[in-house]
Amino acid sequence: MDINKNSLPEDRFSIIEFFNIRKSYVPKSLGIPVLSDVNFKIDSGEFLAAMGSPGSGKSTLVNLIGLLGWLTEGQILVRRMDRNRMSDQELVCLRGLEIRFVFQTFYHFSHLTDIENFLLPTFASSRISIDPRRHVSELLEIMRLHNCMCYKPSELLGVQSKRFSIACTLINDFEILLVDGPTRNLAA
């Protein structure tokens, strides 16, 4: 797996730092290493892309950056807080305030319309800085989904569903955006 970063001015501060990260999966007591000796930092405003063949650890890396799951060895700092020393409640709080995910699989509530699914994350946010309904309209226009607001998730086409998931992720303020694979063919 290759990790490519853009370069930004030196006055940025680190949001995420990985030190000697190892992650293994242990089925039937056989340690299957997925990540070994991973070291990097992600600064505020920086973009990072992890590229590699299937099974190279990209999704595992995204999950660890997003504070999902446990590492086998090493240290992850998020805003200089040690992930290994955080309680489950602190992890949930940090994920809720700072981290947004766009997964390979799209999670929508089938009984809600798209606009209702879209607004759902705003109910849990204590940091939303603008009117959510106005922001929804703007994001749906940008993502070319403004005609789909009254649809149910099952009524969206594949590309529309991908765009919708990304737009839902962008509704609240956040510091870290993690995208795991669903960005192919979005221009279609």
Side-chain angles (χ1 to χ4, degrees), residues 109-114 116 148 150-156:
F109 289 98
S110 59
H111 62 283
L112 299 177
T113 64
D114 285 344
E116 292 165 336
C148 304
C150 296
Y151 290 12
K152 299 279 187 185
S154 62
E155 298 171 323
L156 293 175

Side-chain angles (χ1 to χ4, degrees), residues 10 19 58 62 77 116 122 127 129 168-169 173 180:
E10 291 298 317
F19 298 100
K58 299 179 301 293
V62 167
L77 299 180
E116 292 165 336
T122 66
R127 295 187 349 185
S129 57
C168 283
T169 303
D173 296 332
D180 189 16

